[in-house]
């Protein structure tokens, strides 16, 4: 757009290296390819029913003045589809007179990405006499697949500037990505780039918090108390477990203090504010690019109407409708599905309890059950991801949404909800229930009256949560990236080996056409055309939800990075390292390993922004609960100022936390008739123990002490204070930072003013209609 002033927000993104733009250069003018779309079908006999449907569908396209070129290669039939000019002229005219699209660019040249989007809509809504559209015909195997073609010159440019591993630390050419893949893909990469850049600061602070815990790794009185203790602990299970010495778990105590220290409180508060700043500044960058691309006033519903009219001028719009019965049915199904996922969490708890009983005698802690539970949880996530997708799609069909955009929004909410419960139900159990409902000697809480629930280590329960998160988050990211990259790469390698030799040859004339724009109506020869189509056919298929999968993966990661960050301060670091790879991995996939994604127009990231806002609020609540309930931060605070050695000014005390571990333990005597441990269980190092300790605040009669109620009151007070302060800070930050820069608002205002001023020149008083 010549003379258009660039937004300062875009210049800032370019300065910090998130994007790489070309200044005020006008957007490139694309010379249309000889074909806009390709359909592929298996070669059939002319008399077959599928062959007749195939022929009828092609005739319907030809009736709309589409040019269809048929090329047969062995057992495959390729149909090259080229749309007539009138379709794009009609689209440009309707876009120009549309109120909601009045801010959009209406240049005489329509980009290839727009052409593909229009043709994609038309071929999907073209029906044969049986009222079957292309999706129905593909399900019936009348057509095998469909795809739009990669542009070799633009593909090469994107590969050199963006889709390669050596460009990991370079800015992304977001505008070029938008010109090739459409606004929807471009905004995904813009969001991912901004998210990755902002992860740098929390990653650094997370490392500092980790180093802070490491600084007194060996010198902490809490660790020394565990490592030098002669305290005999009660058996962790009923069968095969014996009493054990607290000093046997010295290493576990050291690990606990790495992730459960005073620094995690500060870090959780910082991440709550960081989440708000991330969202508010993202809205500003989004507004700047939407203004730069002139899609501020673009309306998805009106765009749908325009495309319907372009396809069929006599069509009737699909009306809005709502059914309370269908909505109630969907709601019931969603609740049932969530209960099933929670039921799987209960199954995971039972599994951990069983494994804990088998491994406790060897590990002297529940470390074995934690590792086994985390691996099983990962397997459940992998299986349930496929199940959740099927259920979410079925529920969307029940709803009968009006447009694909409505279906996509509904599917996104349902799928994310199911995935969130699948990922986090187990973590919520570990964070808030593990070790708090297991009872005490003589009155343990048991499953089916037989298996004891797990206990926390005397140094705290937060390490259990950290180990669970680390295994799931890191393992999931590594495995996902390996499948995402090496899957299409391996498929491409196999297809290359099977490719026929004759398709490798190319005539000299067509070779030159790759380096120069094609003139209107100019085409490749049939052999080179087939070679180009076959090359695109061999790439990995994409569908309407391919980008959704990338967004879902990153939003789940965002949840891990923010919600339980108090237990895993290194989560931002792992997320940062993953995202640096993820950006280039997704770029390489889309540009070189996958078929070209159908460009989609948009001016927002859709319902994802609402989900991210909800995650930000949930992060404040959960982190407050983790610190107040799961962490030993509050018990340590109460001990230091109420029960510790420094309270009465005791002389010669080296540290105010001395004796804390022993203070958190209660004693069960073997002389008590309620304690039913066997004699074999009470033998350690050949000595028969007369009593054992367990983590709780109880007296010798198993009654809860006053200290327990004081700690509980302080926990609740801290959680309320923590959440209210941070929520207020979030609202202040949200109010202080405008969601849209003033330059964007002023540019939009001036564009509307100039358009109204221009229309006023053609004003005729006599033409005004009176009611």
């Amino acid at each position: 757009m010549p003379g258009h002033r660039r937004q300062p927000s875009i210049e800032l993104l370019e300065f910090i290296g998130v994007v790489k733009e070309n200044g005020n250069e006008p957007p490139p003018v694309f010379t249309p390819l000889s074909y806009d779309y390709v359909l592929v079908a298996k070669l059939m006999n002319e008399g077959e029913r599928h062959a007749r449907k195939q022929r009828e569908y092609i005739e319907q396209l030809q009736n709309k003045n589409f040019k269809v070129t048929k090329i047969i290669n062995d057992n495959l039939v390729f149909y090259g589809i080229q749309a007539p000019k009138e379709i794009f002229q009609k689209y440009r005219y309707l876009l120009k007179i549309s109120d909601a699209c009045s801010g959009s660019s209406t240049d005489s040249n329509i980009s290839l990405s727009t052409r593909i989007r229009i043709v994609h809509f038309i071929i999907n809504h073209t029906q044969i006499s049986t009222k079957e559209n292309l999706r129905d015909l593909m399900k019936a195997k009348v057509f095998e697949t469909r795809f739009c073609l990669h542009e070799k010159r633009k593909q090469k440019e994107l590969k050199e500037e963006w889709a390669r591993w050596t460009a990991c630390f370079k800015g992304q050419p977001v505008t070029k990505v938008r010109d090739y893949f459409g606004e929807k893909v471009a905004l995904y990469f813009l969001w991912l780039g901004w998210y990755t850049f902002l992860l740098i600061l929390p990653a650094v602070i997370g490392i500092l918090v980790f180093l802070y815990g490491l600084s007194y790794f060996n010198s902490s009185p809490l660790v020394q108390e565990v490592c030098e203790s002669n305290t005999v602990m009660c058996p962790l299970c009923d069968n095969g477990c014996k009493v054990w010495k607290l000093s046997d778990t010295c290493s576990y105590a050291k690990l606990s203090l790495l992730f459960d220290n005073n620094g995690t409180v500060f870090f959780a508060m910082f991440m709550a504010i960081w989440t708000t700043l991330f969202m508010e500044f993202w809205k500003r960058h989004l507004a700047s690019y939407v203004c730069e691309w002139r899609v501020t006033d673009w309306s998805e519903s009106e765009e749908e109407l325009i495309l319907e009219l372009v396809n069929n001028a006599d069509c009737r719009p699909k009306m809005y409708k709502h059914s309370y019965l269908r909505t109630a049915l969907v709601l019931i199904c969603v609740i049932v599905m969530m209960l099933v996922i929670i039921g799987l969490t209960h199954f995971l708890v039972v599994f951990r309890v069983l494994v804990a009983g088998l491994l406790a005698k060897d590990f002297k802690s529940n470390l074995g059950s934690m590792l086994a539970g985390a691996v099983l949880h990962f397997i459940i996530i992998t299986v349930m991801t496929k199940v959740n997708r099927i259920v979410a799609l079925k529920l969307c069909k029940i709803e009968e949404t009006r447009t694909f955009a409505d279906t996509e929004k509904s599917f996104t909410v349902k799928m994310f909800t199911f995935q969130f419960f699948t990922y986090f139900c187990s973590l919520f159990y570990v964070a808030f229930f593990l070790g708090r409902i297991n009872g005490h000697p003589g009155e343990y809480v048991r499953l089916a009256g037989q298996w004891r629930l797990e206990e926390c280590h005397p140094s705290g329960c937060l390490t259990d949560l950290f180990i669970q998160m680390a295994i799931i988050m890191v393992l999931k990211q590594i495995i996902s990236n390996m499948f995402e990259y090496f899957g299409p790469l391996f498929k491409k390698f196999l297809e290359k080996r099977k490719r026929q030799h004759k398709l490798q040859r190319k005539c000299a004339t067509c070779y030159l056409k790759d380096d120069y724009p094609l003139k209107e109506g100019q085409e490749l020869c049939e052999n080179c055309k087939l070679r180009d189509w076959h090359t695109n056919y061999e790439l990995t298929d994409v569908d309407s939800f391919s980008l959704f999968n990338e967004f879902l993966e990153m939003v789940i990661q965002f949840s891990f990075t923010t919600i339980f960050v108090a237990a895993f301060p290194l989560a931002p670091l792992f997320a940062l390292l993953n995202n640096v790879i993820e950006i280039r991995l997704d770029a390489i996939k889309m540009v070189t390993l996958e078929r070209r994604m159908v460009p989609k127009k948009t001016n927002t990231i859709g319902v994802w922004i609402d989900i991210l806002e909800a995650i930000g609020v949930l992060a404040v609540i959960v982190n407050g609960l983790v610190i107040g309930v799961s962490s030993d931060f509050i018990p340590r605070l109460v001990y230091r100022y109420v029960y510790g050695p420094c309270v009465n000014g005791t002389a010669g005390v080296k540290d105010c936390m001395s004796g804390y571990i022993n203070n958190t333990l209660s004693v069960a005597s073997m002389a008590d008739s309620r304690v039913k441990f066997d004699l074999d269980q009470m033998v350690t190092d050949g000595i028969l123990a007369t009593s054992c300790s367990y983590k709780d605040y109880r007296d010798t009669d198993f009654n809860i002490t006053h200290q327990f109620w004081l700690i509980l009151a302080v926990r609740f007070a801290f959680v309320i204070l923590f959440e209210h302060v941070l929520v207020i800070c979030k609202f202040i930050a949200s109010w202080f930072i405008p969601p849209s820069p003033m330059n964007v608002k002023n540019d939009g205002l001036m564009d509307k003013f100039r358009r109204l001023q221009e229309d006023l020149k053609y004003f005729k008083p006599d033409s005004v209609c009176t009611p």
Side-chain angles (χ1 to χ4, degrees):
M1 203 162 39
H4 181 67
R5 180 167 57 92
R6 296 186 68 204
Q7 298 297 334
S9 180
I10 297 177
E11 293 178 347
L12 173 64
L13 288 174
E14 189 169 7
F15 175 75
I16 61 180
V18 174
V19 301
K20 179 183 178 183
E21 301 293 0
N22 297 319
N24 289 321
E25 292 181 13
V29 177
F30 291 88
T31 302
L33 290 183
S34 54
Y35 289 89
D36 301 305
Y37 223 84
V38 175
L39 297 178
V40 184
K42 295 289 185 182
L43 188 61
M44 307 174 189
N45 295 326
E46 290 295 326
E48 291 185 26
R49 182 167 59 90
H50 280 8
R52 291 196 298 271
K53 288 185 176 182
Q54 188 182 117
R55 187 167 55 251
E56 183 183 354
Y57 180 81
I58 296 301
E59 289 173 356
Q60 289 293 334
L61 292 180
Q62 291 173 334
N63 292 337
K64 295 181 179 181
N65 295 325
F66 276 73
K67 178 183 176 182
V68 181
T69 300
K70 179 180 179 181
I71 301 179
I72 299 176
N73 178 48
D74 290 338
N75 64 333
L76 294 177
V77 182
F78 292 85
Y79 294 97
I81 299 173
Q82 186 178 32
K85 287 183 180 180
E86 306 84 65
I87 285 179
F88 308 114
Q89 292 171 350
K90 190 185 298 183
Y91 171 83
R92 189 166 55 245
Y93 175 75
L94 292 175
L95 188 68
K96 184 177 180 180
I97 64 175
S98 168
D99 291 334
C101 300
S102 57
S104 303
S105 176
T106 55
D107 298 333
S108 57
N109 294 305
I110 289 187
S111 67
L112 181 60
S113 62
T114 303
R115 288 175 63 98
I116 292 173
R117 184 161 48 84
I118 297 170
V119 173
H120 175 77
F121 182 90
I122 293 174
I123 67 172
N124 277 326
H125 289 77
T126 298
Q127 296 181 339
I128 59 176
S129 57
T130 56
K131 300 301 180 182
E132 292 176 284
N133 57 27
L134 183 58
R135 290 191 179 93
D136 300 325
L137 296 176
M138 288 180 64
K139 288 180 181 178
K141 303 301 181 182
V142 175
F143 290 99
E144 183 184 348
T145 188
R146 61 189 172 177
F147 53 86
C148 49
L149 297 170
H150 279 289
E151 300 173 75
K152 293 182 181 178
R153 289 185 300 275
K154 298 302 175 184
Q155 190 180 25
K156 185 178 179 181
E157 287 180 14
L158 287 175
K159 187 176 180 180
E160 291 177 351
E161 294 184 31
W162 179 52
R164 56 188 176 91
W165 293 114
T166 53
C168 278
F169 300 101
K170 294 183 179 180
Q172 302 184 80
V174 175
T175 298
K176 287 187 177 181
V177 175
R178 173 249 185 176
D179 293 334
Y180 192 76
F181 288 110
E183 287 82 357
K184 197 166 190 176
V185 172
L187 288 181
Y188 163 73
F189 281 104
L190 179 64
W191 175 83
L192 183 55
W194 174 243
Y195 168 46
T196 303
F197 174 77
L198 277 202
L199 277 173
I200 295 175
L201 183 57
V204 172
I205 297 179
I207 294 173
L208 294 177
V209 171
F210 177 77
L211 294 176
Y212 170 75
L214 197 64
S215 63
Y216 61 101
F217 192 77
N218 294 316
S219 60
S220 170
L222 303 180
V223 173
Q224 291 178 356
E225 189 175 350
V226 173
C227 297
E228 299 172 2
S229 175
N230 291 319
T231 303
V232 177
M233 304 297 296
C234 293
L236 296 174
C237 63
D238 295 327
N239 300 318
C241 294
K242 296 184 178 182
V243 292
W244 49 283
K245 289 186 177 180
L246 183 59
S247 56
D248 293 341
T249 58
C250 177
S251 299
Y252 192 91
K254 291 179 179 180
L255 182 63
S256 298
L257 281 180
L258 282 178
F259 302 98
D260 188 2
N261 53 65
N262 296 337
T264 57
V265 180
F266 160 77
F267 191 55
M269 297 178 68
F270 166 78
M271 286 303 294
I273 303 300
W274 176 88
T275 305
T276 302
L277 295 178
F278 163 72
M279 290 302 302
E280 295 307 315
F281 280 108
W282 159 247
K283 292 175 185 176
R284 292 174 63 84
H285 298 320
L286 173 66
S288 295
Y289 264 98
V290 164
C291 177
E292 185 81 6
W293 296 338
R294 301 186 66 79
V295 290
T296 304
D297 296 325
W298 177 83
S299 168
E300 194 163 26
S301 59
E302 190 152 356
E303 173 83 4
E304 192 94 10
L305 291 175
I306 291 173
L307 291 175
E308 286 179 1
L309 287 170
V310 168
N311 179 44
N312 180 11
D314 299 324
C315 71
R316 299 291 299 172
K318 192 174 181 181
M319 307 303 290
Y320 290 99
K321 57 182 180 180
H322 179 268
S323 169
Y324 286 103
L325 180 61
R326 289 180 180 274
T327 304
L329 179 61
V330 170
L331 182 60
I332 292 171
C333 291
V334 168
I335 294 173
V336 170
M337 188 63 185
M338 290 163 63
L339 291 176
V340 169
I341 296 173
I342 294 173
L344 288 174
T345 303
H346 284 81
F347 167 74
L348 193 59
V349 172
V350 173
F351 173 81
R352 286 183 54 148
V353 169
L354 295 177
V355 172
L358 296 174
L359 301 180
K361 54 180 177 291
D362 298 321
F363 284 91
K364 300 294 191 299
S365 69
N366 60 348
L367 181 61
S369 64
M370 277 190 296
L371 295 175
V375 173
L376 178 61
H377 189 193
F378 177 78
I379 296 173
I380 290 174
I381 289 172
T382 304
V383 174
M384 287 304 297
T385 297
K386 299 182 182 298
V387 175
N388 292 340
R389 185 185 185 91
I390 295 172
V391 173
L393 286 172
K394 294 291 184 183
L395 294 180
C396 289
K397 287 184 179 180
I398 294 175
E399 282 183 317
E400 292 187 354
T401 48
R402 195 182 74 89
T403 63
F404 176 78
D406 295 332
T407 302
E408 190 176 32
K409 180 178 178 180
S410 176
F411 175 79
T412 299
V413 173
K414 293 177 179 61
M415 185 65 180
F416 175 79
T417 303
F418 295 156
Q419 286 294 89
F420 184 85
F421 271 75
T422 303
Y423 274 90
F424 288 94
C425 274
S426 175
L427 297 179
F428 274 94
Y429 164 75
V430 174
F432 304 121
F433 298 100
L434 178 64
R436 290 170 179 80
I437 54 175
N438 56 300
H440 56 82
E443 196 177 333
Y444 284 113
V445 176
R446 301 174 185 273
L447 292 175
Q450 186 173 359
W451 297 286
R452 281 169 48 184
L453 293 181
E454 299 172 83
E455 299 178 26
C456 281
H457 188 270
S459 58
C461 300
L462 211 59
T463 305
D464 301 41
L465 181 59
F466 153 71
I467 292 175
Q468 188 96 344
M469 284 186 63
I471 291 176
I472 295 171
M473 181 179 179
V474 177
L475 193 64
K476 181 66 176 174
Q477 289 182 347
I478 292 175
I479 293 179
S480 295
N481 287 342
M482 288 179 63
F483 275 99
E484 279 185 35
Y485 182 68
F486 290 106
L489 201 63
F490 184 67
K491 180 180 181 295
K492 188 177 181 180
F493 172 74
L494 291 179
E495 293 293 346
K496 275 188 176 181
R497 294 191 63 180
K498 293 189 294 183
R499 188 185 302 172
Q500 296 185 16
H501 181 68
K502 66 179 183 179
L503 294 179
Q504 298 290 343
R505 301 185 59 189
K506 192 171 184 180
C507 65
T509 305
C510 293
Y511 178 78
L512 294 174
K513 290 178 183 178
D514 276 351
D515 298 322
Y516 298 96
L518 292 173
K519 295 180 181 179
E520 188 173 351
Q522 188 177 3
E523 296 183 13
L524 303 175
C525 69
E526 185 168 305
N527 182 70
C528 295
K529 202 181 297 177
L530 175 60
R531 180 182 181 274
D532 187 28
W533 296 354
H534 206 285
T535 300
N536 281 267
Y537 170 74
E538 290 171 347
L539 298 176
T540 302
D541 192 19
V542 294
D543 56 29
S544 302
F545 294 105
S546 294
L547 187 63
F548 163 84
N549 296 330
E550 305 297 342
F551 248 124
L552 178 64
E553 180 184 351
M554 288 297 100
V555 173
I556 290 292
Q557 184 212 81
F558 180 81
S559 303
F560 272 103
T561 307
T562 54
I563 291 180
F564 286 107
V565 74
F568 193 14
L570 293 181
L573 174 64
F574 286 113
L576 174 63
L577 296 176
N578 175 80
N579 289 2
V580 171
I581 298 173
E582 184 74 27
I583 291 175
R584 302 305 156 181
L585 176 61
D586 289 344
I588 292 171
K589 278 195 316 176
M590 290 185 184
V591 175
T592 63
L593 301 178
E594 293 180 341
R595 294 172 186 167
R596 184 175 183 177
M597 198 176 293
V598 175
K600 295 288 183 67
K601 195 172 185 179
T602 187
N603 55 9
T604 178
I605 59 173
V607 73
W608 290 115
I609 198 164
D610 300 319
I611 292 175
L612 291 169
E613 294 275 13
I615 292 172
V617 174
L618 186 61
V620 174
I621 298 172
V622 174
N623 280 304
L625 290 172
V626 167
I627 296 171
V629 177
S630 305
S631 169
D632 269 13
F633 172 74
I634 298 301
R636 291 172 192 162
L637 201 66
V638 172
Y639 179 79
R640 175 185 289 271
Y641 295 107
V642 180
Y643 298 98
C646 295
V647 175
N648 299 322
T650 306
V653 176
K654 293 182 179 180
D655 194 289
C656 293
M657 294 303 296
S658 298
Y660 168 74
I661 296 295
N662 195 48
N663 178 260
T664 63
L665 301 177
S666 300
V667 178
S669 174
M670 282 295 296
D672 195 320
S673 59
R674 291 171 292 182
V675 179
K676 300 178 180 179
F677 293 124
D678 297 334
L679 289 177
D680 293 340
Q681 291 181 279
M682 298 302 294
V683 176
T684 176
D685 296 333
I687 301 175
L688 180 64
T690 57
S691 63
C692 61
S693 300
Y694 60 97
K695 184 178 175 65
D696 208 343
Y697 293 97
R698 295 179 183 272
D699 56 24
T700 55
D701 199 32
F702 300 124
N703 295 317
I704 295 175
T705 63
H706 177 268
Q707 186 176 354
F708 170 85
W709 297 112
L710 177 61
I711 291 174
L712 184 63
V714 177
R715 285 185 189 276
F716 280 115
F718 172 83
V719 170
I720 294 172
L721 181 64
F722 179 89
E723 293 177 357
H724 279 71
V725 169
L726 288 186
V727 167
I728 291 173
C729 290
K730 283 174 65 69
F731 279 118
I732 292 175
S734 178
W735 166 79
F736 187 77
I737 304 172
S740 181
M742 293 301 104
N743 289 324
V744 171
K745 291 186 175 182
N746 290 332
D747 287 349
L749 181 66
M750 291 306 300
D751 283 344
K752 290 182 180 180
F753 177 76
R754 283 192 292 267
R755 189 169 59 252
L756 293 173
Q757 195 176 43
E758 187 69 23
D759 291 343
L760 189 61
K761 295 179 181 178
Y762 304 99
F763 171 70
K764 295 180 181 180
D766 295 338
S767 65
V768 178
C769 298
T770 56

